Amino acid sequence: MNVHTTLVLVVTAYMAALLWLGWWAARLTRSPEEFFLAGRSLGAWVTAVSSTAASESGWVVLGAVGMAYTQGVSALWFAPGCLLGYLVNLYLVAPALRRQSAQCGSLTLPDWLAHRFPSHGKSLRVASVLVILLCLGGYVAAQLTATGKAMEAILGLPYRTGILLGGLVIVAYTFAGGFRAVSWTDFFQGLIMVFALVSMPLMAVAAVGGYSPLLAQLAAQDPQAVSPTGGRSGWALMSFLVGMLGIGLGYPGQPHVLTRYMAAASPRAIRQSQLIAMLWGILVFYGAGFLGLAGRILMPQLATTGDPEQLFPLLAKTMLPPWLAGIMLAAILAAIMSTVSSQLLVAASATSHDFTEQVLGAARTGPASVLAGRLAVLILGLAALWVALGEVRVVFWFVLFAWSGLGAAFGPVVLASVLGWNLTGKGALATILTGFFATVAWKATGLSQTLVYELPPAFALATAAGWMFSHWERRRAAPRQGLP
């Protein structure tokens, strides 16, 4: 059996497994709570691994590896930035969000915000839905194009055929099984990712002689490659560190991650998931980093004649037997598809449940609500496929601020709510709008490239706006309530 045939069989088995999980989840999905939150039944392992896999798209197995290859040891600063975000989410946000969402029966993040701030519930739903659709709509389409490129690189399929194949599989299992199918498939895909990003770096580092020889060879290539600062100093170093560590600010604002905590079976499941998720993150982030460092020695030609982001698939094909290379290459698809399905479901639930049912008042019975959710998945999924097939380049502009836009819009509100800060409904609305538009403005004016990554300043501006509007609202209410 030749290499190509083996790769085709492995990837076919992987796709079949995703469809089977979707079919099985569909058998258990009857009510809106089951379709949108898996009946709040996720165990610790599924909560932990599916939430982490959903937050890390193909940028980990491709982008982070390529960044470490290009920048050297200094690129590893992205790992503590992401892990700080994990810590905040798992230990501060998850327990409170799970408890509060269960108490008020919220099915989505906008749903929870509307219950949390009932005086501005409808406005918060509308603003939240718009931000989610603007950020995630383009992101889903762009991730589908990444799926097409991965299929082209792995199986030699035509680019558009790869988009259709990957996209239709994602839409099929999300349509059928809803949140339960997305969580189960993300768990499965998260296990593939961590296996690949532990075993591949170990083999690559061993191939260059071990950790110390790796550093010695990197230093011989370029002394700055082993410097924690990468040769930066002054403002350049400060901007770099703020940007790298500031990545973590985005995690409390990602709806496709936060819903995993809302769906956990119990507070005990949340507590058990904390260590699992942190361990997953450490292995994946540092695995990607060390793979990039070792790849710089193993494939130096990529620096001048190739794309460093293709290091992972190239090493897998050259170092491993075909069947194992197929599993490693499936990890690339897993990283992409786990995020796409999660984002697609969040966008669909925001459209169906929050906007159509809650804002427009289209009351539905349980089965009708599930059907509406499935139709939203189908329509949005097919629309994203159409955009991806058309290669509309504007979609990539949305991707540039999607993570930051969601993080700056929702992160401060979520943190203020779960920590019990005195945020009002008007303050919450101001935070969401300021965070989103500040991100867009910062990115559009080029300040992300010339000054600092957009998320930290947008997050700070959104927090300030929330505090000011909350203060003004309380002051205006005080005379009417007879307060001093």
Side-chain angles (χ1 to χ4, degrees), residues 26-119:
R27 299 178 61 188
L28 306 175
T29 302
R30 296 290 181 270
S31 69
E33 188 175 47
E34 289 171 340
F35 186 80
F36 293 119
L37 276 187
R40 303 184 198 273
S41 63
L42 300 189
W45 277 90
V46 176
T47 299
V49 177
S50 71
S51 65
T52 52
S55 64
E56 315 305 342
S57 60
W59 82 270
V60 175
V61 294
L62 298 176
V65 172
M67 183 171 63
Y69 181 104
T70 303
Q71 299 184 16
V73 170
S74 65
L76 296 180
W77 280 105
F78 87 88
C82 293
L83 292 172
L84 284 172
Y86 276 30
L87 279 171
V88 170
N89 261 9
L90 292 164
Y91 288 89
L92 291 181
V93 175
L97 183 59
R98 197 275 166 195
R99 182 182 66 254
Q100 293 176 15
S101 63
Q103 288 173 349
C104 62
S106 303
L107 300 182
T108 65
L109 181 63
D111 211 12
W112 173 70
L113 290 173
H115 284 107
R116 184 77 181 169
F117 305 101
S119 62

Side-chain angles (χ1 to χ4, degrees), residues 158-445:
Y159 169 70
R160 292 170 181 265
T161 304
I163 291 176
L164 279 173
L165 178 59
L168 290 175
V169 168
I170 293 169
V171 171
Y173 71 71
T174 306
F175 174 90
F179 193 87
R180 183 176 278 109
V182 169
S183 298
W184 284 358
T185 53
D186 283 2
F187 171 70
F188 171 58
Q189 292 170 132
L191 294 181
I192 296 175
M193 288 172 65
V194 75
F195 169 74
L197 286 172
V198 169
S199 54
M200 276 294 292
L202 287 175
M203 287 185 284
V205 172
V208 299
Y211 178 70
S212 296
L214 168 61
L215 293 182
Q217 293 177 67
L218 284 173
Q221 272 191 6
D222 178 7
Q224 302 298 347
V226 296
S227 167
T229 64
R232 302 173 185 86
S233 61
W235 176 251
L237 176 60
M238 180 63 68
S239 177
F240 172 75
L241 292 177
V242 168
M244 285 294 198
L245 297 176
I247 294 173
L249 291 173
Y251 286 93
Q254 305 303 314
H256 53 292
V257 177
L258 299 178
T259 48
R260 296 306 201 284
Y261 309 139
M262 296 168 64
S266 65
R268 184 168 180 265
I270 290 289
R271 290 193 298 271
Q272 292 174 333
S273 72
Q274 292 165 342
L275 181 60
I276 299 169
M278 288 303 302
L279 180 60
W280 188 95
I282 291 169
L283 293 174
V284 165
F285 295 140
Y286 283 103
F290 278 100
L291 180 60
L293 296 178
R296 185 163 172 162
I297 304 301
L298 295 171
M299 291 190 167
Q301 70 275 14
L302 291 181
T304 55
T305 61
D307 180 2
E309 291 193 355
Q310 293 301 312
L311 175 65
F312 186 102
L314 290 174
L315 282 179
K317 288 181 177 180
T318 57
M319 293 178 61
L320 304 174
W323 67 270
L324 186 53
I327 295 175
M328 297 300 178
L329 294 172
I332 299 173
L333 294 174
I336 298 169
M337 296 174 72
S338 60
T339 302
V340 176
S341 59
S342 299
Q343 293 173 338
L344 175 59
L345 186 63
V346 164
S349 61
T351 303
S352 171
H353 176 76
D354 291 296
F355 187 74
T356 306
E357 293 187 21
Q358 301 298 322
V359 175
L360 299 183
R364 296 189 178 98
T365 62
S369 182
V370 172
L371 177 60
R374 285 182 168 140
L375 289 175
V377 168
L378 182 62
I379 293 169
L380 291 175
L382 293 178
L385 269 172
W386 177 76
V387 172
L389 288 169
E391 297 186 84
V392 179
R393 293 301 172 186
V394 71
V395 76
F396 291 99
W397 190 76
F398 285 97
V399 175
L400 292 175
F401 67 80
W403 176 269
S404 303
L406 291 169
F410 295 120
V413 176
V414 170
L415 289 175
S417 299
V418 301
L419 294 175
W421 296 344
N422 198 10
L423 190 68
T424 66
K426 188 171 291 185
L429 184 60
T431 300
I432 292 172
L433 295 176
T434 301
F436 175 74
F437 286 110
T439 300
V440 175
W442 200 274
K443 174 67 74 175
T445 54

